[in-house]
Amino acid sequence: MITRRTALTALLSAGTAATAGLLGGLPLLSSAAAKALPNELKIPALDKGTVRNGSRMFDLHLQKGNTQFLAKGAPTPTLGINGGFLGPTLSMRNGEKVVLNVTNRIGEPSTLHWHGFHLPAKHDGGPHQVIENGATWSPAFEIKQKAATFWYHSHMHHKTGEQVYRGLAGLIVVEDEESLSLDLPKTYGVDDIPLIIQDRAFNRDGSFRYVSSMHDVMMGMQGDTILVNGTVNPFLRAKTQKIRFRILNGSNARFYTLGFSDGRRFQQIATDGSFLPGPVETDRIVLAPAERAQIVVDIANDGRPLKLINLSGETQGGGMMGAMASRRFDILEIRPDGVLTNSPAVPGKLPELPRLRAQDAVKTRRFVLAMGMGPGMMMGGGGRFTINGRAMDMKRIDETVKLGDTEIWEIRNDSPMTHPFHIHDIQFQILDRNGKPPAPGERGLKDTVRVHGGETVRVIARFEDYADPDRPYMYHCHILEHEDAGMMGQFVVV
């Protein structure tokens, strides 16, 4: 009998055989060698843009940088947006019009995708909206989102993983009237803290190591050093009794099971694209690549530091994903001030959205995720990662959706790994996992959903506002090496 474990072992063995001789290059730092003295957490600059001619305008420059992550050694060649690594947090409001002037100065083509946004396909920033080096792209659209935390990142075909790994990503915070009226921590950088969690591997010369073996493609690129907002071994000086964390799993492939070092419980208040109906009390959350969550934690204690950690928990492959994927390790140290400013209680009720009903769907589409093995799995080299038996083809439209329709998308994972499935343009609701209702922490709007090996997840969404028969949106696995290797498809709304 072939089990998930034996299937994954076969994939790993095939990849090792297929890539013998590809493991050369610069030696790696170990995670112990990469550890630095504690560093104060960097907070990305908050960019509110400039209002001109009735639109909020942002000027974003994709650029090269050199970033000193480690206390010793040479700086790392990086990419960033308005800086050397990562980009500013963009602040927007529901209902306003925005213009984003994106100038590419990295020396190669790129794109910038507004992840989670409902917008016209021509402004989506997917692989069809290429920005050549030296060019400027200026998408303009209305913000039609509920208050939530979104992000932006490169989506260059066959290069997404590498360009995001090098630093082309940043957060977007959208507010609306309801969110601003809630008695929640909301002072950016003080009690409302963004956390972009990423893992990276370094060569001895300080450069990033990216995809040096078939294993890195099959399992997705994983590093041995954690960065939070680009900070190694970070700590946060806490000034208030409660802190709201806006957490993005910005890693290419690593899953995180997040909790606190003393096991304290906290409240999850939001998912990818909206608030939850009410706070969900828990002691851990799981985030796949591209998933976001907002939590509020009460840190009032005896003044001793507290740590946000990765708990021994979920992995992509049932415990075969490498030592760091399944063990405890530190994410962020929280150091309370001697006297903390009091914070109000989290509201017991949050803005609730009506649930879409399965009986109102006019169509159910089925998507089967699968992985092959062998040398064809290298990115762009033969389509061993597939959806419905086909690898991504930029010239092929896979699905055609009618404007105004409500649809159910049934996602089946026939591979041994968990895949985070992302759909552009829409925010969806999870109907069920293998026929069971979603967990309380998944009842908000989502744009990325974890689908475990052997699992079927059904999501429901309404396709509104924008139709374009010529420009497609994407759906894909958000393990970026899988996306680049073919686990992606295209749909148009007509």
Side-chain angles (χ1 to χ4, degrees):
M1 178 179 178
I2 298 176
T3 65
R4 289 181 63 201
R5 181 173 291 273
T6 56
L8 190 54
T9 301
L11 283 171
L12 287 169
S13 298
T16 301
T19 56
L22 296 180
L23 300 179
L26 296 165
L28 296 181
L29 289 164
S30 69
S31 58
K35 277 194 179 261
L37 294 173
N39 296 288
E40 187 156 7
L41 177 70
K42 298 174 184 175
I43 303 295
L46 186 66
D47 186 348
K48 297 183 179 181
T50 303
V51 177
R52 299 196 296 268
N53 300 321
S55 293
R56 188 171 300 276
M57 307 189 75
F58 297 86
D59 294 317
L60 303 175
H61 301 281
L62 313 188
Q63 61 192 67
K64 295 180 179 179
N66 284 286
T67 305
Q68 190 75 49
F69 293 108
L70 308 174
K72 298 180 180 180
T76 303
T78 54
L79 298 177
I81 303 157
N82 294 0
F85 184 73
L86 300 178
T89 298
L90 308 183
S91 176
M92 302 176 182
R93 290 281 297 271
N94 175 271
E96 68 182 359
K97 295 178 180 178
V98 298
V99 178
L100 299 118
N101 301 309
V102 185
T103 301
N104 180 6
R105 296 173 176 167
I106 66 171
E108 61 183 80
S110 189
T111 75
L112 211 54
H113 167 54
W114 320 108
H115 182 116
F117 275 72
H118 173 50
L119 75 181
K122 66 180 180 180
H123 299 315
D124 182 55
H128 290 278
Q129 286 84 50
V130 175
I131 313 168
E132 297 294 341
N133 184 56
T136 297
W137 175 58
S138 297
F141 52 90
E142 181 181 347
I143 304 300
K144 291 179 175 287
Q145 312 296 143
K146 300 300 292 181
T149 305
F150 303 90
W151 66 305
Y152 58 105
H153 60 80
S154 168
H155 211 307
M156 188 69 193
H157 194 36
H158 296 320
K159 296 279 285 184
T160 298
E162 179 184 353
Q163 291 189 353
V164 172
Y165 200 83
R166 293 170 64 191
L168 290 187
L171 284 181
I172 303 175
V173 172
V174 173
E175 301 284 9
D176 58 23
E177 292 299 328
E178 287 181 306
S179 70
L180 293 173
S181 69
L182 291 171
D183 207 356
L184 288 169
K186 57 172 66 78
T187 303
Y188 182 83
V190 178
D191 60 1
D192 186 349
I193 306 294
L195 299 180
I196 304 173
I197 304 175
Q198 301 171 304
D199 58 335
R200 295 292 184 265
F202 293 87
N203 295 307
R204 287 194 182 278
D205 67 350
S207 62
F208 285 139
R209 179 184 71 82
Y210 182 73
V211 180
S212 64
S213 72
M214 185 65 71
H215 180 279
D216 292 337
V217 179
M218 285 189 297
M219 314 313 286
M221 184 63 206
Q222 298 187 43
D224 59 7
T225 303
I226 294 297
L227 305 179
V228 183
N229 301 345
T231 314
V232 176
N233 200 11
F235 70 88
L236 172 71
R237 300 184 190 277
K239 302 180 183 301
T240 58
Q241 176 193 353
K242 291 185 174 67
I243 299 178
R244 175 188 191 174
F245 288 112
R246 298 176 183 264
I247 306 174
L248 161 67
N249 181 348
S251 293
N252 282 31
R254 187 177 299 282
F255 288 50
Y256 298 96
T257 302
L258 300 173
F260 289 94
S261 50
D262 61 358
R264 75 179 58 199
R265 299 179 71 79
F266 55 90
Q267 293 169 301
Q268 181 184 352
I269 60 170
T271 53
D272 298 342
S274 74
F275 285 109
L276 292 165
V280 174
E281 186 172 309
T282 183
D283 66 354
R284 67 191 60 202
I285 56 170
V286 177
L287 292 181
E291 285 191 299
R292 287 93 63 208
Q294 293 183 48
I295 67 172
V296 177
V297 59
D298 189 330
I299 62 167
N301 55 17
D302 57 6
R304 291 186 299 180
L306 173 70
K307 289 184 177 181
L308 177 67
I309 64 173
N310 182 75
L311 301 164
S312 300
E314 177 150 335
T315 66
Q316 293 93 313
M320 299 182 64
M321 301 302 298
M324 196 172 177
S326 58
R327 65 175 175 83
R328 294 166 68 103
F329 54 86
D330 294 347
I331 302 291
L332 172 70
E333 181 182 5
I334 303 167
R335 300 179 178 179
D337 274 358
V339 178
L340 297 173
T341 301
N342 289 332
S343 304
V346 174
K349 184 173 176 57
L350 298 168
E352 186 169 5
L353 298 173
R355 300 290 298 178
L356 296 176
R357 304 186 308 166
Q359 57 265 40
D360 293 333
V362 300
K363 188 177 183 65
T364 296
R365 297 178 192 268
R366 292 175 174 83
F367 302 86
V368 179
L369 313 181
M371 294 170 60
M373 62 184 74
M377 292 179 71
M378 292 305 286
M379 288 179 286
R384 298 289 182 168
F385 291 87
T386 61
I387 300 176
N388 291 342
R390 298 189 292 189
M392 171 67 179
D393 183 341
M394 291 276 283
K395 298 178 181 178
R396 184 189 70 234
I397 301 301
D398 298 283
E399 306 288 340
T400 300
V401 178
K402 291 184 179 180
L403 183 66
D405 278 0
T406 298
E407 293 195 355
I408 294 171
W409 285 27
E410 182 179 291
I411 308 143
R412 167 74 184 178
N413 184 357
D414 276 355
S415 85
M417 290 181 62
T418 300
H419 295 283
F421 191 81
H422 171 51
I423 307 173
H424 288 211
D425 178 49
I426 58 170
Q427 289 288 328
F428 54 75
Q429 295 172 344
I430 301 174
L431 285 175
D432 49 52
R433 293 179 171 275
N434 287 341
K436 297 180 179 180
E442 289 189 313
R443 289 186 61 82
L445 292 178
K446 298 279 293 172
D447 53 61
T448 306
V449 62
R450 300 184 307 276
V451 188
H452 303 290
E455 187 176 46
T456 298
V457 177
R458 294 194 310 154
V459 304
I460 187 169
R462 184 176 294 119
F463 295 81
E464 300 176 298
D465 300 316
Y466 306 116
D468 190 331
D470 301 316
R471 296 179 179 88
Y473 299 102
M474 306 292 124
Y475 55 87
H476 57 87
C477 174
H478 221 285
I479 294 175
L480 296 183
E481 290 67 42
H482 294 181
E483 170 195 326
D484 282 337
M487 195 176 279
M488 181 161 64
Q490 304 188 108
F491 71 98
V492 292
V493 180
V494 298

